[in-house]
Amino acid sequence: MASSSIDQIPSAAETLTSQLPSDNTPTSVEPIPSSDSHPTADVPMASSSIGELTSVAETLTSHLPSDISSAPVEAVGEKRKRDDEKTNLESSDPNLTPSPWWKTSLCSYFRRQGNCSHGSTCRYAHGEEELRQKPDNTWDPTSERGKKAKMSENAGKCDAEEEEREVLFTEDMMDENDGEEGCGDSVHDLSLSKCLVHLPRKWQSDDLKKFIGELGVEFKFAKKRRGMMVGFLTFENAEQLQSGVETLEGKAVGHKNLKIADVLPRATEKNQTKNPAKIKSAREAVTPLADLSYADQLEQKKASMMQWLKKLTRNARKACPNGKSLPEWVLQSREIGGLSCKLEGIIESPVRNGYRNKCEFSAGYSVEGKTTVGFLLGNFSAGVTAVEEPVDCPNISKIACRYASIFQTFLENSRLPVWNKFKNFGFWRQLTVREGRKPGVISNGEDAETSIAEAMLIVQVCTTGTDEAEVATEFEEMAKAFAEGAKASSPTLPLTVLLVQDHQGISNVAPPDCPLRLLPIPMSDNETTNQDQPTNVLAEARIHDHINNLRFSISPTAFFQVNTGAAEKLYSLAGDWADLGPDTLLFDVCCGTGTIGLTLAHRVGMVIGIEMNASAVSDAERNAKINGLSNCKFICSKAEDVMSSLLKEYLDVSQMEEAKPPSNANDDLDKQISSTEEMSNSEPVDDQSLPTPNIHEEHQNNEQKDSSSSEPERSTKLQFKNVVAIVDPPRPGLHPDVIKALRTHPRLRTLVYISCNPETLVANAIELCTPSFLEKAEQGNNGYRKQRRMGTAASARHRAKKMPASEPFRPVKAMAVDIFPHTDHCEMVMLLKR
């Protein structure tokens, strides 16, 4: 304390001396000794020095002018205040004008603690009542008025965007007349039509008519849809138009002023001179890379896959626990340009044009308002509902295009309406064409259609509010149109199965259990007809395709790779990387119709397929019988529900369990397993000769098989030295429970991940390949709410914190496979080991 005082006083004395007038400088004041000559440890000497220096300071102060001596001396360390703050904020003089920033921000101490030590003299507002607007006419963003202003600003931006989007499609929306009389003739006379912008979202046509009627405006037709900010008004003549515009322009509606805009003509009309929004063609929407050479397409996809591998490395660094060293593969990524593993390259598709064996065509209206069967030109969320024919899409086969054209011609004369996405009403919704190719035939370009041997047509409808007799008549005429169109084509189109799917949802994506109805296909007089066959035998509603000399039976809703030629290369690559052998147990997760497991069954000891689609599991069992494969089992269940128990059952069999009697065949898991081991010595059979399965007989056979061959089966489980899992999940990726089961089982050392969505591959690989946390992460609702706002990679990092202690996998290598030429999509195969 004494030392600091000694150091401060000479400085204060020098400051005061410098402020003295030259003629008033005292001559009798002795020089102030330096604080260095006084040892700080000697307290008495320091005390006397303080007294002497204090006397000197008083003497100096007495010689100062009155205006200087009366000025307050600021405390050491206190922040100096601006002149306007000293004058305006702290002065008690009521005549002084306060600072423009006075009380324009909320006091943080008052907001957090409910009080403030400054009281009424605080420059910040204590509550919303004291808060003032800032000089720039804005409010404190933390205040209620500031938050409301921000929300209004954001809403205004959204409204402006929606206004621009909706006005561009006004004429299309006007065609949806909702049964109004007289609107059909007026929508084409755009000179007498106007668009009303800034209407309340909750208004409908009746509200708009009432509002216009109260203003005394005469009109012919008014249209307004709930949820949109635009309405449409059509007048009888030019005089009504001019009078109505003068009355409505700028009229206050709610908190906004009404705006009158012209109805834009369609983008395809010749009189269109300016179109702010460019509507894509079907070729641009479905095959955006079609105008590039195939070599450029491959380079672009390869570069995209490399970016995803780099993203995996970056997120793996973030996901590693604090205090743990980074995995070796993350450290080695610097040597290969930041990639999580080496990208071996990209495999070309053997067929590049007309390669899709499954095409889904939407039924709707073109930009010109014509009934069309084809592809949507954009997203419904963007206000685009126009459909265009698929004739310019190079990935669609000519057979599929031809059937779409036949269906479109039929809909033009149909008595039932086409599905309307705005109204969620209509009958005809979608046409799906599935094709089956001949064995061993891979053709490209013009000859691609010669390799197609079978075709399945699935027409999706919505029968809500329709008459059964009228629907039955329409179905008969439709079947006749397809049969005649297929026969009239040159060459003749194959037509194997015709089905109707009754779906009443909003989206065209129907659930797997959506009801199906098999329609008879009329034949000519000199051909065998199937009119007398029952129409409810869905077991025969299937087509066939071939992969690696194996024949696959495909039901209407079962998954099958859309590019058969590229799928052969994909599955061969997965088998080569998995290091398979006779002592290998292969888990085919998300197996679909069993294509991966069945094509690799001859290279492993046993295959266990898991699929949640019951019809696909039935196809997999049938495919195993067709090809005479006896070492395959297929389970109909969600992988997350049975994966953990299956790993324990087939890998964790101890000597004590081996001596136990076999479990009862009525167990839940055994009920789900359908084995084909009893056919080990049978020859390949044709699935068309197979009888309709009898559930009761199959259950008895399974009981006999389990009771007679349970001991050999138990010993079989112990002979697998190598355990491999191949996963081919849908676009959302693997369920977290499946990832946990794969990650925590120590016997599973090799995992081959086939992904059609690299984003979810990165997310799943984060959970599989990052170290476990030593301590269990905190769980709670707050963390769950935060996780909902995360991206896929961030959510995966969050879930990785809860992963039980286990040895992580490491990415070894990756390969891109071009399953979808002319599009920006690509399959990725990644080998994971530990």
Side-chain angles (χ1 to χ4, degrees), residues 252-272:
V253 182
H255 61 284
K256 293 185 177 181
N257 295 329
L258 201 62
K259 178 182 176 181
I260 308 298
D262 295 332
V263 178
L264 298 180
R266 303 186 193 278
T268 56
E269 291 186 1
K270 296 182 179 180
N271 59 356
Q272 176 82 9

Side-chain angles (χ1 to χ4, degrees), residues 518-547:
L518 180 64
L519 296 182
I521 302 175
M523 301 294 181
S524 59
D525 297 337
N526 56 350
E527 294 180 349
T528 303
T529 178
N530 62 352
Q531 292 284 355
D532 298 332
Q533 296 180 0
T535 60
N536 57 351
V537 184
L538 292 178
E540 302 302 326
R542 57 184 70 249
I543 58 175
H544 304 84
D545 212 325
H546 298 79
I547 295 180

Side-chain angles (χ1 to χ4, degrees), residues 193-252:
S193 300
K194 290 294 180 180
C195 176
L196 281 63
V197 189
H198 294 159
L199 294 174
R201 292 179 180 269
K202 63 180 180 179
W203 274 18
Q204 296 184 3
S205 297
D206 294 339
D207 300 308
L208 178 60
K209 294 175 183 178
K210 181 180 178 182
F211 170 75
I212 298 175
E214 292 177 351
L215 297 177
V217 177
E218 297 181 357
F219 62 95
K220 180 181 179 181
F221 165 68
K223 172 72 176 178
K224 170 69 173 66
R225 180 162 299 283
R226 186 183 183 92
M228 296 185 178
M229 297 181 58
V230 295
F232 308 97
L233 205 60
T234 303
F235 301 91
E236 293 282 358
N237 47 53
E239 291 75 12
Q240 285 188 3
L241 174 64
Q242 182 178 1
S243 175
V245 170
E246 293 176 355
T247 305
L248 295 174
E249 182 68 41
K251 202 69 176 180

Side-chain angles (χ1 to χ4, degrees), residues 555 557-559 592-594 611 613-621 623:
S555 60
T557 59
F559 170 78
T593 56
E611 173 61 42
N613 190 326
S615 62
V617 172
S618 177
D619 290 342
E621 297 170 357
N623 293 332

Side-chain angles (χ1 to χ4, degrees), residues 93 108 114 330 512 573 627 702 727 778:
D93 190 349
S108 58
V330 175
L573 174 68
N627 298 281
N702 288 336
V727 296
E778 297 181 0

